[in-house]
Structures are given as C-alpha cells and as structure tokens.
Amino acid sequence: MRSRPARRVLHALVGALLLGAGAPRATVAAPPETYDAAAPALTKAFDAAKPDDRLQAYARAAKLRDVRAVALVLGGLDKERARLERIAKSQAEAQTALEGVLNEIDKLNKQPATTGAAIEAFNKKVRKVERRRDEQYNRLRDLAVEAAGAKAVAAAGTAAAGAVLDALPDDVANAQLAQIAAAWTGPKSTADDQVRWVDLLAAVPGHGSGKALRELALAPDKDVRMRTAALGAAAARREAGVVQDAISLLAEPADRWVVAAAAVDVLRRLHAREAIEPLIAMLGRDDLGRLREDAHRALRSLTAQTHGPYQQPWKDWWTDAKAGFTMPPTPADAVSLSAPDKGVTFYGITTFSDRIVFVLDVSGSMLDPARAEGTTGAGAADGRKIDLARKELYAALAMLDDKKTFDCIFFGHRVVRLLGQMTQAAAPVVERARRFAGELEPTGGTNIHDALEAAFRAAGVPVGQAVTGPTNLVADTIFFMTDGTPTAGKLTDPARILESVAEWNRTAHLTIHTVAVGDECDAKFLEQLARDNGGRFVKR
C-alpha cells in the first residue's frame, strides 16, 4: 500500500497532467517550403500521369518564393505543352483511322449479298469492322478527356508561374517577364503562345501587368486572339481605363470584328453607363452583321429597355431619358431579374454559400437540343443542352465575389477538375473558368459516381484515402447538373451511388443541389440525391 505522501504526489502529478491536457497549446506555423527542398519532387510530379497529381504539384509550386521557381514551373509548362501536342497528334491519327474504318463500312454496305453463306460472311465482316470503329470512337473520347485534363493543368501551371512572379521584387520580376515575352510573343511564336502570354500576365496582379494587358488589347498589329484575351483579362480585373478601351474598340474594321464583339461583351459585363451612347451610335452602322445582335443585347442588358435592334428608337428614348436615367442594379441578361440581391444562383437554385463546387455533365448527349423552360418533349428546342449549361454557369460565376472560393468539375466518361483546389474567385480565375467551359466539347458516357466522388474530394472529404491528419473541409455546397443516367464509372447503379454518397456525407454534411436537364435523365435519382443531402432539385 502506498503511503499518504506518495499518494499526494501521485494525485498532484495526475492533476498536473489533466490540467496540461486541457490547456490550450500554442501552434507554431510551419516555415515556408524552400525551393531546394521542393524542386526535386516537383520536377518528378510534373511528369505524373494523373492530372490531379500535376495540379497538386503546381499548387505547391505557387507557394515558392524563389526566382528559380519561375524556370521550374515554366519547364513543367513546356512538358504540358508537349503533352498536348502528342495528344493532338494522336487525335489526328485516331480520326484518320476512324475515317478509314467508316469508308470500309460504306464499301461493305455497297456489296450485295444474295446467298445465305454470303450474308453470313458479310455480317461477320461488318461486326469485325464495327468493333474497330467503336475502338476508334472510344480512343477519341479518351483523348478528348485527356486533352481537357492537360489544358486544365496547363492553366494551373500558368497561374502558379504568375503567383511566383508576383511575389518577386519588381526588378527581378520584370526581368523574368521580359525574357518570357521574348519567347512567347517573338517572331517565331504562335497564336497559342501569345494567348499563353496573356494568361500569364493575367495571373500576375502587379509589376505593370494591367498596363501591358491594355496595350495588347489596343494593338492593331497583334493577333485577334491575343487582343480579345487581353481585353477580357483586363476587364475581369477591372483595370482603370478598360471601359474607354472597349468603347474605342467598337470601331474595329470588319476583318477584326471579333475584337469589336469582345469589346461589346466587356461593356455589357462591366455594366458601364458610359457605354450606352457609343452602343446606340454603333447601331447606326450598316455593316454590323452579327454585331448588331451583340450591341442590341448589350443595350437591353445595360438599360432594361426593350427597344429593337435598330438605332432610331434607342436614340429617341435616350434623348428623353438620359438626364434622369438610373442604371439597373445588375446586367439584365446575366442574372435573372427575379433572383435575390445576394447569393449565387445556378439553374434557379440560390445558395448563400461562400465555398461552392460546380459539377457539370459534358457527356455526348449534352450536344442534343435543349427544350424551352416549362415544356416537355423534344418539340420546343432552345439551343443545345451544353449551350444552356454554359449560360447558367457563366451567370453563376458572375455572381461570385473575391470572398468566395470555388472549383468546377466536368464529367463525361471521365472526370476533369478545372482548378485542382478550391480557389478564391478573383476575376482572372473566374475568367479562366469561363474560357475553359466555353472550349470544352461534350463527349462520352455519363460518369455520375466518379464525378460526385471528385466533388467530395474537392471539398476536403478524404474519400477512399487514409486519413493522416485532421479533415479540412474547404467546401460546403455542391451544384450537380446532368442530363442522363449513370452509364460509366466505378458504379452505375443509382441505389449504390446514393449509398456511397451517404457514407461520404455522414460527417461532412455537404449540401448537394441537383439539376436534371431534359427528359432522358433519372429525375427520381437526382431528386433523392438532393433530398438526402439537404439540397434542392429542379428539372429543366
């Protein structure tokens, strides 16, 4: 038996331990990673087969504060560019092979088969050739997804290079930018190189990049792709003077109409009062063509007026209304007039979340005609489903402010994550998301399970991963849109997908809003998915 003094000592020690266990502990921030420590692993990661691994590598590289990291990231971007070139070559080869197989099928179909043996031989040949056709179709679909992933990684790499450059002293950063400009905009550069240069400038908030973007937009000797990209980037950053730049570009000649179209779009998106008179004047021209539609749409957006696409009614209205005119609070065709003043709205569902993951179906059926809202069946087409989806995404992105973070996931047969991490909705990032969504063409099947899995991982839920530290949930809301039923991925049974989501969301408590597009989707499944996870369901 212990003596009383010994027991008192033991009690004191236990009390001290308990007190220490309950006391708050000071946390020491980990020192920033050094270039020398990170470079070997990053160099290796830039060669990784999986796009997600490369995205994570660029996210890590963006935090380096060493001039040598610029060359490291640009070297990775060169690899990504080479990867895209290889994919493009493979796509061309697969397309050529597919055309050859299709020609074989055409020839077979022209050969008459009259006897039973001939018919049997004919069917055997056709099945064999059709298998080769299907192989090439699948190959092209896979390559399209691979290309989309590589493009997303390249965009992330450009953003990482911009982050590294922005953190450098002015003289060092400007010297680096000058070297890159010489390589990417020189005599041997391509239009793609020049757009890469614009993307890099857009990713560098300081070091005179805003002025450089505006100068590129106004330069008549530059490629129109470069100019429109520069104007869009300057507008996304709301650079001082960009409204006047866009107004001046309304007068671009007919062979550079795309620059004028970009200028009209910028004036509409910036919702600038000073654009009203120049746009009315523009409607007086006889050579507008499609630009008349653009200018008319912009004027309706800026003013909430409903005059037609010709100048005189607008001119008469403005003469009377100018002195007392008050701008509508939001662009009329960018945000629904019935939408609330706050929050983010996607397909009519509004959230007040600041941390959103958008998940959009880009399977092949998204190329089918959409139906007008409030109708059923295929009789009331209103563009393609993908066009409607892009419009809804663009409108939702326009509602994001720089206090919000987001990521976008696109899925067909495979899944492509755009940003690789939840990212602050700064104007250049939002513009990059718009451009990527606009370039992505639908293809393949409908991989709902893997898309939802990717969305949970984007939110910080360790799906299928060993947890070695505390869970860091970085998103709380998912918008999920599809026009189909599960046809690809790890699971295609809707009931089993719901079970998986229930397991992932047991402690995460993410809200999932669902959108069913068209009449061919599994609306019952999507409605249950929303109901089980605190979200809203709409059918369009």
Side-chain angles (χ1 to χ4, degrees):
M1 177 180 286
R2 293 188 180 93
S3 65
R4 288 182 180 177
R7 275 183 286 176
R8 283 197 295 269
V9 171
L10 180 60
H11 292 163
L13 287 171
V14 171
L17 288 171
L18 290 174
L19 181 63
R25 298 181 180 179
T27 58
V28 178
E33 189 172 27
T34 65
Y35 172 85
D36 291 321
L42 291 177
T43 301
K44 183 178 180 181
F46 291 156
D47 287 322
K50 294 181 179 179
D52 278 355
D53 292 339
R54 305 199 302 275
L55 283 169
Q56 294 301 324
Y58 283 116
R60 182 178 168 189
K63 299 175 183 178
L64 296 176
R65 298 297 177 260
D66 189 308
V67 66
R68 293 175 293 172
V70 177
L72 175 70
V73 173
L74 293 181
L77 281 173
D78 286 340
K79 293 179 180 179
E80 212 62 46
R81 184 183 181 188
R83 182 178 284 107
L84 282 167
E85 290 175 352
R86 289 195 300 271
I87 294 170
K89 182 179 179 180
S90 296
Q91 287 175 317
E93 292 171 351
Q95 186 63 46
T96 300
L98 175 61
E99 290 172 0
V101 173
L102 293 176
N103 288 335
E104 285 187 51
I105 293 175
D106 287 341
K107 289 179 180 179
L108 283 172
N109 288 331
K110 293 177 182 177
Q111 296 175 2
T114 55
T115 66
I119 292 173
E120 184 178 350
F122 170 80
N123 289 337
K124 184 177 181 179
K125 287 181 181 179
V126 168
R127 286 193 295 270
K128 184 176 180 180
V129 176
E130 285 180 342
R131 281 196 297 270
R132 289 166 51 204
R133 176 201 62 190
D134 293 342
E135 288 173 359
Q136 294 304 325
Y137 272 130
N138 289 333
R139 176 64 174 153
L140 283 169
R141 290 168 186 149
D142 290 344
L143 287 168
V145 172
E146 188 179 354
K151 288 178 182 178
V153 173
T158 301
V164 174
L165 284 162
D166 194 56
L168 296 175
D170 274 342
D171 57 339
V172 178
N174 288 330
Q176 292 288 318
L177 286 167
Q179 292 179 18
I180 300 169
W184 290 6
T185 67
K188 295 183 179 180
S189 66
T190 66
D192 285 338
D193 292 330
Q194 294 163 19
V195 173
R196 288 170 67 207
W197 170 242
V198 170
D199 290 341
L200 180 60
L201 286 175
V204 182
H207 306 308
S209 59
K211 179 183 178 183
L213 286 170
R214 291 181 58 204
E215 290 174 348
L216 288 173
L218 295 171
D221 59 327
K222 299 297 184 183
D223 183 85
V224 292
R225 286 181 57 194
M226 186 184 198
R227 296 180 64 194
T228 55
L231 181 62
R237 287 167 45 158
R238 281 176 159 70
E239 292 290 341
V242 71
V243 170
Q244 290 304 318
D245 293 346
I247 289 173
S248 71
L249 292 173
L250 296 178
E252 285 287 302
D255 63 338
R256 296 200 290 267
W257 67 268
V258 66
V259 178
V264 172
D265 187 55
V266 162
L267 294 173
R268 179 189 62 79
R269 288 164 51 197
L270 293 181
H271 205 54
R273 178 190 172 100
E274 54 265 49
I276 295 175
E277 284 191 46
L279 286 168
I280 291 174
M282 187 179 189
L283 287 179
R285 288 168 48 184
D286 295 327
D287 61 343
L288 289 180
R290 199 213 74 185
L291 289 175
R292 183 174 300 281
E293 301 171 24
D294 296 353
H296 178 229
R297 183 170 61 249
L299 279 169
R300 293 189 62 167
S301 175
L302 291 167
T303 66
Q305 297 296 304
T306 58
H307 306 298
Y310 296 95
Q311 183 188 58
Q312 197 59 48
W314 286 99
K315 195 172 181 179
D316 293 343
W317 165 77
W318 188 241
T319 299
D320 295 336
K322 180 178 179 180
F325 178 72
T326 301
M327 292 286 290
T330 56
D333 60 346
V335 181
S336 171
L337 294 176
S338 62
D341 292 336
K342 297 181 180 180
V344 176
T345 300
F346 183 66
Y347 278 93
I349 302 174
T350 298
T351 179
F352 292 92
S353 171
D354 290 330
R355 302 178 296 177
I356 305 169
V357 180
F358 296 95
V359 186
L360 279 77
D361 186 340
V362 290
S363 61
S365 58
M366 288 294 290
L367 290 170
D368 294 341
R371 58 178 173 80
E373 188 175 350
T375 67
T376 58
D382 185 24
R384 303 178 304 172
K385 295 175 185 176
I386 187 62
D387 299 324
L388 177 60
R390 286 170 178 154
K391 180 178 178 181
E392 291 285 346
L393 180 62
Y394 294 165
L397 292 175
M399 299 179 215
L400 298 174
D401 56 47
D402 58 11
K403 295 179 182 178
K404 293 179 171 61
T405 58
F406 79 104
D407 202 350
C408 296
I409 293 171
F410 303 94
F411 70 97
H413 188 79
R414 293 182 181 174
V415 179
V416 176
R417 185 175 173 189
L418 174 61
L419 302 175
Q421 62 181 345
M422 294 297 291
T423 305
Q424 186 179 11
V429 178
V430 172
E431 178 66 17
R432 176 152 57 99
R434 284 174 53 92
R435 287 176 53 191
F436 184 79
E439 293 173 356
L440 195 63
E441 279 300 310
T443 186
T446 308
N447 192 345
I448 288 177
H449 172 274
D450 293 5
L452 285 167
E453 183 180 57
F456 271 84
R457 285 180 174 166
V461 181
V463 178
Q465 299 170 334
V467 180
T468 57
T471 299
N472 180 28
L473 293 176
V474 293
D476 55 28
T477 300
I478 296 171
F479 279 114
F480 185 88
M481 183 280 294
T482 182
D483 76 329
T485 59
T487 61
K490 299 182 184 73
L491 296 175
T492 56
D493 180 354
R496 293 190 62 192
I497 294 174
L498 289 172
E499 290 172 1
S500 294
V501 173
E503 179 184 350
W504 303 334
N505 212 20
R506 179 183 175 189
T507 57
H509 301 286
L510 305 186
T511 295
I512 304 178
H513 300 296
T514 61
V515 180
V517 175
D519 297 323
E520 303 302 321
C521 60
D522 190 340
K524 183 178 179 181
F525 160 70
L526 293 170
E527 186 173 9
Q528 188 68 44
L529 180 62
R531 185 185 301 116
D532 291 349
N533 296 281
R536 287 185 55 199
F537 162 78
V538 297
K539 190 172 190 301
R540 293 293 179 85

Coordinates of all heavy atoms in Angstrom, one line a residue, residues 190-249:
T190 N 3.5 31.4 -81.8 CA 2.2 31.1 -82.4 C 1.2 31.9 -81.7 O 1.4 32.5 -80.6 CB 1.9 29.6 -82.3 OG1 1.8 29.2 -80.9 CG2 3.0 28.8 -83.0
A191 N -0.1 31.8 -82.2 CA -1.2 32.5 -81.5 C -1.4 31.9 -80.1 O -1.7 32.5 -79.2 CB -2.4 32.4 -82.4
D192 N -1.2 30.5 -80.1 CA -1.3 29.9 -78.8 C -0.3 30.4 -77.8 O -0.6 30.6 -76.6 CB -1.2 28.4 -78.9 CG -2.4 27.7 -79.6 OD1 -3.5 28.3 -79.5 OD2 -2.3 26.6 -80.1
D193 N 1.0 30.6 -78.3 CA 2.0 31.1 -77.4 C 1.6 32.5 -76.9 O 1.8 32.8 -75.7 CB 3.3 31.3 -78.2 CG 3.9 30.0 -78.5 OD1 3.7 29.0 -77.8 OD2 4.6 29.9 -79.6
Q194 N 1.0 33.3 -77.8 CA 0.7 34.7 -77.4 C -0.5 34.7 -76.4 O -0.5 35.5 -75.5 CB 0.3 35.5 -78.6 CG 1.5 35.7 -79.6 CD 1.1 36.1 -81.0 OE1 0.0 36.5 -81.2 NE2 2.0 35.9 -81.9
V195 N -1.4 33.8 -76.5 CA -2.5 33.7 -75.5 C -2.0 33.2 -74.2 O -2.4 33.7 -73.1 CB -3.6 32.8 -76.1 CG1 -4.7 32.5 -75.0 CG2 -4.3 33.4 -77.3
R196 N -1.0 32.3 -74.2 CA -0.3 31.9 -73.0 C 0.3 33.1 -72.3 O 0.3 33.2 -71.1 CB 0.8 30.9 -73.3 CG 0.3 29.5 -73.7 CD 1.4 28.6 -74.2 NE 2.4 28.3 -73.2 CZ 3.7 28.0 -73.4 NH1 4.2 28.1 -74.6 NH2 4.4 27.7 -72.4
W197 N 0.9 34.0 -73.1 CA 1.5 35.2 -72.5 C 0.4 36.1 -71.8 O 0.6 36.6 -70.7 CB 2.2 36.0 -73.6 CG 2.7 37.3 -73.2 CD1 2.3 38.5 -73.7 CD2 3.6 37.7 -72.2 NE1 2.9 39.6 -73.1 CE2 3.8 39.1 -72.2 CE3 4.4 36.9 -71.3 CZ2 4.6 39.7 -71.3 CZ3 5.2 37.6 -70.4 CH2 5.3 39.0 -70.4
V198 N -0.7 36.2 -72.5 CA -1.8 37.0 -71.9 C -2.3 36.3 -70.6 O -2.5 37.0 -69.5 CB -3.0 37.1 -72.8 CG1 -4.2 37.7 -72.2 CG2 -2.6 38.0 -74.0
D199 N -2.4 35.0 -70.6 CA -2.8 34.3 -69.4 C -1.8 34.5 -68.3 O -2.2 34.6 -67.1 CB -3.0 32.8 -69.7 CG -4.2 32.5 -70.6 OD1 -5.1 33.3 -70.7 OD2 -4.2 31.4 -71.2
L200 N -0.5 34.5 -68.6 CA 0.5 34.7 -67.6 C 0.4 36.1 -67.0 O 0.4 36.3 -65.8 CB 1.9 34.5 -68.1 CG 3.0 34.7 -67.2 CD1 2.9 33.7 -66.0 CD2 4.4 34.5 -67.8
L201 N 0.2 37.1 -67.9 CA 0.1 38.5 -67.4 C -1.2 38.6 -66.5 O -1.2 39.3 -65.5 CB -0.1 39.4 -68.6 CG 1.2 39.8 -69.4 CD1 0.8 40.6 -70.6 CD2 2.2 40.5 -68.5
A202 N -2.3 37.9 -66.9 CA -3.5 38.0 -66.1 C -3.3 37.4 -64.7 O -4.0 37.7 -63.8 CB -4.6 37.3 -66.8
A203 N -2.3 36.4 -64.6 CA -2.1 35.8 -63.3 C -1.1 36.5 -62.4 O -0.9 36.1 -61.3 CB -1.5 34.4 -63.6
V204 N -0.6 37.7 -62.9 CA 0.3 38.5 -62.2 C -0.4 39.8 -61.8 O -0.5 40.7 -62.7 CB 1.6 38.8 -63.0 CG1 2.6 39.6 -62.1 CG2 2.3 37.5 -63.4
P205 N -0.8 40.0 -60.6 CA -1.6 41.2 -60.3 C -0.8 42.5 -60.4 O -1.3 43.5 -60.8 CB -2.0 41.0 -58.8 CG -2.0 39.5 -58.7 CD -0.9 39.0 -59.5
G206 N 0.5 42.4 -60.1 CA 1.3 43.6 -60.1 C 2.3 43.7 -61.2 O 2.1 43.1 -62.3
H207 N 3.4 44.4 -61.0 CA 4.5 44.6 -62.0 C 4.1 45.1 -63.3 O 4.6 44.7 -64.4 CB 5.2 43.2 -62.2 CG 5.7 42.6 -60.9 ND1 6.4 43.2 -60.0 CD2 5.4 41.3 -60.4 CE1 6.7 42.4 -59.0 NE2 6.1 41.3 -59.2
G208 N 3.1 46.0 -63.4 CA 2.7 46.7 -64.6 C 1.9 45.8 -65.5 O 1.7 46.1 -66.7
S209 N 1.4 44.6 -65.1 CA 0.7 43.7 -66.0 C -0.6 44.3 -66.5 O -1.0 44.0 -67.6 CB 0.5 42.4 -65.2 OG -0.3 42.6 -64.1
G210 N -1.3 45.1 -65.7 CA -2.5 45.7 -66.1 C -2.3 46.6 -67.3 O -3.1 46.5 -68.3
K211 N -1.3 47.4 -67.3 CA -1.0 48.3 -68.4 C -0.6 47.5 -69.6 O -1.0 47.8 -70.8 CB 0.1 49.2 -68.0 CG 0.6 50.2 -69.1 CD 1.8 51.0 -68.7 CE 2.2 51.9 -69.8 NZ 3.5 52.7 -69.4
A212 N 0.1 46.4 -69.4 CA 0.5 45.6 -70.6 C -0.7 44.9 -71.2 O -0.7 44.8 -72.4 CB 1.5 44.5 -70.1
L213 N -1.6 44.5 -70.4 CA -2.8 43.9 -71.0 C -3.6 44.9 -71.8 O -4.1 44.5 -72.9 CB -3.7 43.3 -69.9 CG -3.2 42.1 -69.1 CD1 -4.1 41.8 -67.9 CD2 -3.3 40.9 -70.1
R214 N -3.7 46.1 -71.3 CA -4.5 47.1 -72.1 C -3.8 47.4 -73.4 O -4.4 47.6 -74.4 CB -4.7 48.3 -71.2 CG -5.6 48.1 -70.0 CD -5.7 49.4 -69.2 NE -6.2 50.5 -70.1 CZ -6.1 51.8 -69.8 NH1 -5.4 52.2 -68.8 NH2 -6.5 52.7 -70.7
E215 N -2.5 47.5 -73.3 CA -1.7 47.9 -74.6 C -1.9 46.8 -75.6 O -2.0 47.0 -76.8 CB -0.2 48.1 -74.2 CG 0.0 49.4 -73.4 CD 1.5 49.5 -73.0 OE1 2.2 48.5 -73.1 OE2 1.8 50.6 -72.5
L216 N -1.9 45.5 -75.2 CA -2.0 44.4 -76.1 C -3.4 44.4 -76.7 O -3.6 44.2 -77.9 CB -1.8 43.1 -75.4 CG -0.4 42.7 -75.0 CD1 -0.4 41.5 -74.1 CD2 0.5 42.5 -76.2
A217 N -4.4 44.7 -75.9 CA -5.8 44.8 -76.4 C -6.0 45.8 -77.5 O -6.7 45.6 -78.5 CB -6.8 45.0 -75.3
L218 N -5.3 46.9 -77.4 CA -5.4 48.0 -78.3 C -4.5 47.9 -79.5 O -4.6 48.7 -80.4 CB -5.1 49.4 -77.6 CG -6.2 49.7 -76.5 CD1 -5.7 50.9 -75.7 CD2 -7.5 50.0 -77.1
A219 N -3.5 47.0 -79.5 CA -2.5 46.9 -80.5 C -3.1 46.3 -81.8 O -3.4 45.1 -81.9 CB -1.3 46.1 -80.1
P220 N -3.2 47.1 -82.9 CA -3.8 46.6 -84.1 C -3.0 45.6 -84.9 O -3.5 44.8 -85.7 CB -4.0 47.9 -85.0 CG -3.0 48.8 -84.5 CD -2.9 48.5 -83.0
D221 N -1.7 45.5 -84.6 CA -0.8 44.6 -85.3 C -0.8 43.2 -84.6 O -0.1 42.3 -85.1 CB 0.6 45.1 -85.4 CG 1.2 45.4 -84.0 OD1 0.5 45.8 -83.1 OD2 2.4 45.3 -83.9
K222 N -1.4 43.0 -83.5 CA -1.4 41.8 -82.7 C -2.5 40.9 -83.2 O -3.5 41.3 -83.7 CB -1.5 42.0 -81.2 CG -0.4 42.8 -80.6 CD 1.0 42.2 -80.8 CE 2.1 43.0 -80.1 NZ 3.4 42.3 -80.3
D223 N -2.3 39.6 -83.0 CA -3.3 38.6 -83.4 C -4.6 38.8 -82.6 O -4.6 39.2 -81.4 CB -2.8 37.2 -83.1 CG -3.8 36.1 -83.5 OD1 -3.7 35.7 -84.6 OD2 -4.5 35.7 -82.6
V224 N -5.8 38.6 -83.3 CA -7.0 39.0 -82.6 C -7.3 38.1 -81.4 O -7.9 38.5 -80.4 CB -8.2 38.9 -83.6 CG1 -8.1 39.9 -84.7 CG2 -8.3 37.5 -84.2
R225 N -6.8 36.9 -81.4 CA -7.0 36.0 -80.2 C -6.3 36.6 -79.0 O -6.8 36.6 -77.9 CB -6.5 34.6 -80.5 CG -7.3 33.8 -81.4 CD -6.7 32.4 -81.6 NE -6.5 31.7 -80.3 CZ -5.8 30.6 -80.2 NH1 -5.2 30.1 -81.2 NH2 -5.6 30.1 -79.0
M226 N -5.1 37.1 -79.3 CA -4.3 37.7 -78.2 C -5.0 39.0 -77.7 O -5.1 39.2 -76.5 CB -2.9 38.0 -78.7 CG -1.9 38.5 -77.7 SD -0.3 39.0 -78.5 CE 0.8 39.0 -77.0
R227 N -5.5 39.8 -78.6 CA -6.1 41.0 -78.2 C -7.4 40.8 -77.5 O -7.7 41.4 -76.4 CB -6.4 41.8 -79.5 CG -5.2 42.3 -80.3 CD -5.6 43.1 -81.5 NE -6.2 44.4 -81.1 CZ -6.9 45.1 -81.9 NH1 -7.0 44.8 -83.2 NH2 -7.4 46.2 -81.5
T228 N -8.3 39.9 -77.9 CA -9.5 39.6 -77.2 C -9.2 39.0 -75.8 O -9.9 39.3 -74.9 CB -10.4 38.7 -78.0 OG1 -9.8 37.5 -78.3 CG2 -10.9 39.4 -79.3
A229 N -8.2 38.1 -75.8 CA -7.8 37.6 -74.5 C -7.4 38.6 -73.5 O -7.7 38.6 -72.3 CB -6.8 36.5 -74.7
A230 N -6.5 39.6 -74.0 CA -6.0 40.6 -73.2 C -7.1 41.6 -72.7 O -7.2 42.0 -71.6 CB -5.0 41.4 -74.0
L231 N -8.1 41.9 -73.6 CA -9.2 42.7 -73.2 C -10.0 42.1 -72.2 O -10.4 42.7 -71.2 CB -10.0 43.1 -74.5 CG -11.2 44.0 -74.2 CD1 -10.8 45.4 -73.7 CD2 -12.1 44.1 -75.5
G232 N -10.3 40.8 -72.4 CA -11.1 40.1 -71.4 C -10.4 40.0 -70.0 O -11.1 40.1 -69.0
A233 N -9.1 39.8 -70.0 CA -8.4 39.7 -68.8 C -8.3 41.1 -68.1 O -8.5 41.2 -66.9 CB -6.9 39.2 -69.1
A234 N -8.1 42.1 -68.8 CA -8.1 43.5 -68.3 C -9.5 43.8 -67.7 O -9.6 44.4 -66.6 CB -7.7 44.5 -69.3
A235 N -10.6 43.4 -68.4 CA -11.9 43.7 -67.9 C -12.2 42.9 -66.6 O -12.9 43.3 -65.7 CB -12.9 43.4 -69.0
A236 N -11.8 41.6 -66.6 CA -12.0 40.7 -65.5 C -11.3 41.3 -64.2 O -11.9 41.2 -63.1 CB -11.5 39.3 -65.7
R237 N -10.2 42.0 -64.4 CA -9.5 42.7 -63.3 C -10.0 44.1 -63.1 O -9.6 44.7 -62.1 CB -8.0 42.7 -63.6 CG -7.4 41.3 -63.5 CD -6.0 41.2 -64.0 NE -5.1 42.3 -63.7 CZ -3.8 42.2 -63.7 NH1 -3.2 41.0 -64.1 NH2 -3.0 43.2 -63.5
R238 N -10.9 44.5 -63.9 CA -11.5 45.9 -63.8 C -10.4 46.9 -63.8 O -10.3 47.8 -62.9 CB -12.4 46.0 -62.6 CG -13.8 45.4 -62.9 CD -14.7 45.5 -61.7 NE -16.1 45.4 -62.0 CZ -16.7 44.3 -62.5 NH1 -16.0 43.2 -62.7 NH2 -18.0 44.3 -62.8
E239 N -9.4 46.8 -64.7 CA -8.3 47.7 -64.8 C -8.9 49.1 -65.1 O -9.8 49.3 -65.9 CB -7.4 47.3 -65.9 CG -6.6 46.0 -65.6 CD -5.6 46.2 -64.5 OE1 -5.2 47.4 -64.2 OE2 -5.1 45.2 -63.9
A240 N -8.3 50.1 -64.5 CA -8.7 51.5 -64.8 C -8.5 51.8 -66.3 O -7.5 51.5 -66.9 CB -7.9 52.5 -64.0
G241 N -9.5 52.4 -66.9 CA -9.5 52.8 -68.3 C -9.9 51.7 -69.3 O -10.0 52.0 -70.5
V242 N -10.3 50.5 -68.8 CA -10.7 49.5 -69.7 C -12.0 49.7 -70.4 O -12.2 49.3 -71.5 CB -10.7 48.1 -69.0 CG1 -11.8 48.0 -68.0 CG2 -10.7 46.9 -70.0
V243 N -12.9 50.5 -69.7 CA -14.2 50.8 -70.3 C -13.9 51.7 -71.6 O -14.5 51.4 -72.7 CB -15.1 51.5 -69.3 CG1 -16.4 52.1 -70.1 CG2 -15.6 50.5 -68.3
Q244 N -13.1 52.7 -71.4 CA -12.8 53.5 -72.6 C -12.1 52.8 -73.7 O -12.3 53.0 -74.9 CB -12.0 54.8 -72.1 CG -12.8 55.7 -71.3 CD -14.0 56.2 -72.0 OE1 -14.0 56.6 -73.2 NE2 -15.1 56.3 -71.3
D245 N -11.2 51.8 -73.3 CA -10.6 51.0 -74.3 C -11.6 50.2 -75.1 O -11.5 50.2 -76.3 CB -9.6 50.0 -73.6 CG -8.4 50.7 -72.9 OD1 -8.2 51.9 -73.2 OD2 -7.8 50.0 -72.1
A246 N -12.5 49.6 -74.4 CA -13.6 48.8 -75.1 C -14.4 49.7 -76.0 O -14.8 49.3 -77.1 CB -14.4 48.1 -74.0
I247 N -14.7 50.9 -75.5 CA -15.5 51.8 -76.4 C -14.7 52.1 -77.7 O -15.3 52.1 -78.8 CB -15.9 53.1 -75.6 CG1 -16.9 52.8 -74.5 CG2 -16.4 54.2 -76.5 CD1 -17.2 53.9 -73.6
S248 N -13.5 52.4 -77.6 CA -12.7 52.7 -78.7 C -12.6 51.5 -79.7 O -12.5 51.7 -80.9 CB -11.2 53.1 -78.3 OG -10.5 52.0 -77.9
L249 N -12.7 50.3 -79.2 CA -12.6 49.1 -80.0 C -13.9 48.7 -80.7 O -13.9 47.8 -81.6 CB -12.1 47.9 -79.1 CG -10.7 48.0 -78.6 CD1 -10.4 46.8 -77.7 CD2 -9.7 48.0 -79.8

